[in-house]
Amino acid sequence: MKFQLVRHATLWLNYGGYNILVDPMLGEAGVYPPIVKTPNNKRNPLISLPFPIDYWLKPDIIIVTHLHNDHWDPEAVDKLPKSTPILCQPGNEKVLQAVGFQSVTPITDKLKVHSILLTRTNGKHGKGVIRKLTGNVSGFILQAEGEPKLYIAGDTVWCSDVREALGAHHPDITVVNAGGARFVMGEPITMDDHDVVILCRYAPDTKVIAVHMDAINHCLVTRSDLRERLEMEKLADQVFIPEDGQWIDFFVNCYL
């Protein structure tokens, strides 16, 4: 597997012989307003794409974990080929079809696409009342012969759903959205540095890739913050914190 962080939660994977685009947010810096009721009024995205958009416009498969604007934006709708197969959570397919995508498949439990077995996992996009407002989110486990087992946790805090996915699937690699996104009131709606520490201690055999930082105005945990916390907790060797555009090569049970 080759893994590239594009920006925020947008990923480009070479996995099982296919190019997979995850959660495409492809708009240019500042094109969207700030997330409302958050601690600052910076326009989104905070930063530009690391390379021209054309680099990511011809995937074999698109995975959309949920439909919030920072995971599926108007630029993605406009620029991605409408014939590209999209995999999503149940309930999102009609929205994707309505904007012209011709091959949209919701995954309720498991689905094999070409050589890749995908298993949908649940998550909690916050706690309490905020969770009701943020709606349903999903993660996905990817498996293919000769590839590491990959868990894309999606927009979730540390919760029983994540714990159960780790316990049931024992992924080699776990991608977490670790920016501690939050509103002025309430607790974070995605993992923060504290949640990443808990996950690492619960599943010490999984390599963690931390993304979803330094790109959207309500994500308050920075890469620098997370690195500092992991160094303090002596967990830095378990967690990759890639920069935008950075590639990482993985093999089964090992990495470069």
Side-chain angles (χ1 to χ4, degrees):
M1 181 185 88
K2 292 186 69 175
F3 172 104
Q4 184 185 37
L5 171 61
V6 178
R7 178 185 59 186
H8 193 54
T10 306
L11 315 175
W12 182 267
L13 310 175
N14 299 147
Y15 191 92
Y18 296 90
N19 292 320
I20 303 173
L21 179 63
V22 180
D23 282 354
M25 176 186 65
L26 302 177
E28 273 303 319
V31 72
Y32 306 124
I35 305 294
V36 298
K37 297 183 180 179
T38 52
N40 63 71
N41 61 357
K42 298 175 183 178
R43 292 185 64 84
N44 294 309
L46 304 179
I47 52 175
S48 296
L49 291 168
F51 304 114
I53 190 173
D54 291 353
Y55 278 67
W56 304 287
L57 292 183
K58 294 183 179 179
D60 299 309
I61 303 165
I62 300 170
I63 296 174
V64 179
T65 62
H66 68 299
L67 296 178
H68 288 170
N69 191 75
D70 60 328
H71 294 252
W72 175 253
D73 73 342
E75 193 72 3
V77 172
D78 182 55
K79 294 291 174 60
L80 288 166
K82 298 299 186 290
S83 59
T84 309
I86 297 184
L87 309 175
C88 65
Q89 65 180 355
N92 287 173
E93 64 272 20
K94 290 184 179 180
V95 175
L96 297 166
Q97 291 164 345
V99 293
F101 287 88
Q102 301 154 11
S103 178
V104 181
T105 305
I107 300 179
T108 301
D109 182 21
K110 297 178 185 291
L111 180 72
K112 191 159 189 181
V113 179
H114 305 302
S115 61
I116 304 168
L117 176 65
L118 295 102
T119 303
R120 191 182 67 82
T121 63
N122 294 312
K124 292 181 174 59
H125 201 355
K127 300 176 181 178
V129 174
I130 289 179
R131 182 182 162 224
K132 295 180 181 178
L133 298 174
T134 53
N136 293 332
V137 293
S138 293
F140 293 92
I141 305 281
L142 280 68
Q143 297 172 253
E145 185 176 353
E147 296 281 20
K149 188 183 295 186
L150 175 66
Y151 173 27
I152 300 171
D155 260 10
T156 181
V157 296
W158 173 257
C159 61
S160 59
D161 294 315
V162 176
R163 186 168 58 246
E164 289 166 8
L166 290 166
H169 296 282
H170 303 285
D172 299 300
I173 303 162
T174 299
V175 182
V176 297
N177 294 348
R182 65 188 309 156
F183 299 98
V184 174
M185 302 293 292
E187 299 179 59
I189 60 173
T190 66
M191 291 193 197
D192 60 8
D193 56 325
H194 182 65
D195 283 353
V196 175
V197 168
I198 294 173
L199 186 151
C200 287
R201 297 207 188 285
Y202 180 81
D205 293 331
T206 192
K207 290 292 182 182
V208 176
I209 304 177
V211 300
H212 205 269
M213 291 172 282
D214 299 326
I216 296 293
N217 78 297
H218 71 328
C219 293
L220 304 185
V221 175
T222 66
R223 290 182 176 98
S224 178
D225 294 333
L226 183 58
R227 286 191 188 100
E228 183 176 341
R229 178 66 186 275
L230 293 169
E231 289 286 351
M232 183 176 67
E233 301 285 350
K234 303 187 185 310
L235 292 169
D237 289 345
Q238 188 177 347
V239 183
F240 294 90
I241 307 176
E243 299 296 325
D244 299 323
Q246 184 176 350
W247 283 97
I248 307 172
D249 289 350
F250 288 90
F251 301 91
V252 176
N253 295 323
C254 64
Y255 63 93
L256 284 180

